[in-house]
Structures are given as structure tokens and as C-alpha cells.
Amino acid sequence: MGRRHRRSKVTRVVNLVKRIIAFFFSHVGLCALVIGYALGGAIIFRAVESPHEREIQSIVTRARQETVNVAWNTTFRVNKLDRAQWERTVHDQVKKFRVKTMWAIRRGYDGKEFGVSAQWTFTGAFLYSLTVITTIGYGNTAAKTYFGKTLTIVFAIIGIPLMLLFLTNIGDVMAKIFRFLYARSIRLKYKLILWHKKRRAAKIRRANSLVAKLTRANNRSYLGSGRMGAGIRDDCSLESLGVPSAAASDVHELLAARVHLDQLEVKESVEAQLQRISVPLSLVLLTMLAYLVAGSILFCLWEGWTFLDSFYFCYISLTTIGFGDKFPGASVGNDKDAQEKLVITSFYLLFGMALLAMCFNLAQEEVVNKVAWIANKFRSKEDDEYDD
């Protein structure tokens, strides 16, 4: 009994582990895994690099204050008439300050004031984690400690394949959604065409019915006037007058048949397009361009850049080139507004790369279809020449 109980426990644990693994490799789970991995990296990198950054900033601040104090004390201690001695003392202290500053720069000092602005905030560390696993690598923020550099290597070894898996997965999902929306738009387009054709047919039928009524009224008045002679009754048929009475009904039938054929043609065209549906390459490029333009306007307003500089930054970022010559530097700070900007920048990059993966997926499908079409054309030409 005890063995069976233990086996059932092990089975439940194994099934639970399988379900957890299956969830993490599903669409939602993979997205959560990537964001969670980047958040975990942000926590670790901040804990490792932030103390080092604060220490370097405080060293430079103390060295600058010491230089100011020496210059102030020298002014009162040295003979005011001995200018050379005053300059010599102050210059020596300025040289010491320069040496300390260069030492701090080599260890990551970026000119920011201690306690006022910092790179290794939580949002800054989160953006750093994303630039590592997405291989953008701006270079404006980098690990300076030995432990931080080692951690970056390990983080990238795991994170880059995870990010590639995420982009492949989410790009495929977004491509299916985009393709579905495109198919719905095609259906809506042809529904509007059918509605327009039905409306035109109804107008023609109403007009034809009105003409038929007027014709019958005119015939009755013509018969009632007695002009046709004594041998014709008032209720005589139009056939006896030489006017085909089935003309109106024939016109109605022809119109109905024409409308029915038009609707069948439209429906067949819809079904044919939906069976071989592929999003046009122009629409794919337009979608990506719209996302780049939206980001460019956003960074224009935030950073005061020109539109070209903003577009350049968005393009270089989303293509993972990441020169680092442009970066929302004004957003790196401790105030709440700057932190919100960094969060939005991070998610703009993450969603933009997923959108880029979707566009590559759709463009690849369209290119494959075009190549297959061209190959079939050449094959049919060769067959015709062979038959000749």
C-alpha cells in the first residue's frame, strides 16, 4: 500500500513538472519566461553593479571637493603676493584630481553626480538585460566589475537562445493573427461588393417593375379608347396586340440570373483568395514602417531629437545593429518620469522585435509564393515549347 502511495505521488509530481514545462514552452508561457528572465537579470545586475557605480561616483565627488578645499585653504595659507607658489600648489592638486578622474572613468564613471543620476537603476538594468539577450548591445551601459562581466556571459549564453525561440514562436503567432485579420478584411470587402450588387439589382428590378406597370396602364387606356376596333374586347391579352406579355417576366428572370451569376463569381473569387491567402509584401512593409514612425515621433517628443535622428535610433535598435551613438540618455535618471520612459523604451524594443519577426515570417511566405509562381510560369513555357 505504501509503495502504491509513493508511486502515485511520484506520478503526480512528474505530471505536474510536465505541465509546467509545457506551459513555459507555450505562447503565453514563453512570453512570461522571457520577461521574467529579463526582470531576474535586472535584479541581479543592479545588485552587482549599482554598489560599484555609487562607489566610483562618491570617489570622484570626494576628490573634487578635496581639490576645492585645497584651493580655498591655499588662498589663505600662502602669501597672497607669491602667485607662483599659489599656482604651483593648486596645479598639483588639480593634477591629482585629474588622475583620480581618469582612474574612475576607466572603471565606469560617466560623469553623473552621486545620488542624483545613475545608470544601474532597476529600469536601467532591465533595459541592459534586454539589450544583452536581443544582441542590440548599445554599449552605453556595460558591466564594470569582474563578477558582472562573468554574469553577463552566462546570462547571454542562456538568454540569447531563449530570445530567439521567443521571437520565432511569437512571430509565428502574430503572423497567424495578422493573416486572420487580413482574411477578415477580404471577406468584409467582398461582402460590401455583394451588398452593392444586390442594391443595384434591387434598383433595376424596381425600375423595371415600374416600367411594366406603366406599360400595362397605357395598354388598358389604349384598349378602353376603342381605337382597336369592334372585334377586340377590353380584357383582351397583349399577345393579340402583338406585344409579348412575357417580356417583363423574362427581363425579371434575366436580371435575377445575372445577379445570381455575379454573386457566384464574387463568392468563388473570395474562396480562391482565402485558400491561397498570403499578406502582400507592401502591407508588411507598411506595418513595419508605421511602427518605426510611431517610435520616431515618441522619441522626438521625449528627447528633443530631430525626426531623422529618432527614426535612425529606432531602426538601428530594432535591426539589432545597436551602434550606441544615439540613446535616450536624458531618460537615465532616478526621477519617476525618467524611469517610466525607460520602461516604455524597453517594451517598445521588445514588441518591435516581435513585430519584426512577424514581418519576416509573412515576407518569407510571400517571397516563397512568388518564386513558386515564377517557377511554374517557366515550367509551363518549357512544356509549351516542348509540345511545339
Side-chain angles (χ1 to χ4, degrees), residues 20-41 126 130 133 155 159 162-163 165-167 169-170 173 347 350 354:
I20 291 172
I21 293 172
F23 170 75
F24 278 122
F25 282 94
S26 65
H27 303 317
V28 178
L30 196 57
C31 183
L33 186 61
V34 169
I35 295 176
Y37 188 75
L39 289 172
F126 179 73
L130 280 182
I133 63 178
F155 187 77
L162 181 64
M163 190 67 189
L165 181 63
F166 163 75
L167 290 177
N169 190 286
I170 202 70
V173 173
F347 281 101
L350 187 62

Side-chain angles (χ1 to χ4, degrees), residues 37-52:
Y37 188 75
L39 289 172
I43 294 170
I44 295 171
F45 282 119
R46 185 189 180 193
V48 171
E49 294 294 328
S50 184
H52 175 75

Side-chain angles (χ1 to χ4, degrees), residues 42-182:
I43 294 170
I44 295 171
F45 282 119
R46 185 189 180 193
V48 171
E49 294 294 328
S50 184
H52 175 75
E53 182 184 26
R54 288 197 300 268
E55 181 185 358
I56 294 298
Q57 286 180 343
S58 63
I59 289 172
V60 173
T61 301
R62 287 197 300 269
R64 184 174 61 240
Q65 188 60 44
E66 184 180 349
T67 302
V68 172
N69 292 337
V70 167
W72 176 259
N73 293 330
T74 302
T75 303
F76 291 97
R77 189 176 65 250
V78 177
N79 188 351
K80 294 183 178 60
L81 299 177
D82 193 351
R83 179 177 177 178
Q85 185 182 1
W86 185 91
E87 288 182 349
R88 189 164 51 250
T89 304
V90 173
H91 284 175
D92 290 341
Q93 189 59 37
V94 170
K95 287 179 182 178
K96 290 179 182 178
F97 174 69
R98 184 180 62 189
V99 170
K100 285 187 178 181
T101 304
M102 292 303 298
W103 174 87
I105 289 172
R106 285 193 292 270
R107 281 158 180 78
Y109 179 67
D110 57 355
K112 293 182 173 60
E113 291 296 325
F114 176 70
V116 176
S117 185
Q119 287 184 331
W120 291 103
T121 59
F122 178 77
T123 50
F126 179 73
L127 185 58
Y128 173 76
S129 301
L130 280 182
T131 58
V132 170
I133 63 178
T134 56
T135 69
I136 295 175
Y138 290 119
N140 65 307
T141 301
K144 299 300 187 298
T145 63
Y146 291 115
F147 183 63
K149 291 175 182 178
T150 306
L151 186 64
T152 300
I153 294 172
V154 176
F155 187 77
I157 288 173
I158 301 172
I160 292 174
L162 181 64
M163 190 67 189
L164 291 175
L165 181 63
F166 163 75
L167 290 177
T168 303
N169 190 286
I170 202 70
D172 185 54
V173 173
M174 292 176 67
K176 288 179 181 177
I177 294 172
F178 197 87
R179 202 177 294 114
F180 170 77
L181 294 175
Y182 180 70

Side-chain angles (χ1 to χ4, degrees), residues 196-228:
H196 181 65
K197 286 182 178 295
K198 288 178 181 178
R199 190 179 175 190
R200 280 182 57 193
K203 284 183 178 179
I204 293 172
R205 281 197 297 270
R206 284 196 299 269
N208 186 70
S209 176
L210 181 61
V211 170
K213 289 178 181 178
L214 291 174
T215 304
R216 286 195 296 269
N218 289 333
N219 287 330
R220 288 195 188 101
S221 63
Y222 184 68
L223 292 170
S225 63
R227 297 179 190 176
M228 298 300 296

Side-chain angles (χ1 to χ4, degrees), residues 239-271:
E239 285 86 347
S240 62
L241 301 176
V243 179
S245 62
S249 62
D250 289 342
V251 171
H252 279 295
E253 290 177 3
L254 287 172
L255 285 172
R258 179 60 186 272
V259 170
H260 184 65
L261 285 174
D262 286 344
Q263 291 176 3
L264 284 177
E265 288 177 1
V266 171
K267 287 178 181 178
E268 288 175 0
S269 178
V270 172
E271 294 300 328

Side-chain angles (χ1 to χ4, degrees), residues 284-344:
V284 173
L285 295 176
L286 185 64
T287 303
M288 199 65 228
L289 181 64
Y291 191 77
L292 287 170
V293 169
S296 303
I297 294 171
L298 187 67
F299 287 108
C300 272
L301 298 175
W302 276 357
E303 301 297 324
W305 295 340
T306 62
F307 182 80
L308 179 60
D309 286 340
S310 301
F311 190 87
Y312 168 80
F313 167 75
C314 295
Y315 180 82
I316 292 299
S317 299
L318 295 182
T319 53
T320 71
I321 297 172
F323 288 124
D325 54 338
K326 280 289 178 184
F327 187 80
S331 300
V332 181
N334 294 332
D335 61 301
K336 183 179 177 181
D337 186 50
Q339 300 304 304
E340 289 176 355
K341 289 178 181 179
L342 276 182
V343 170
I344 295 173

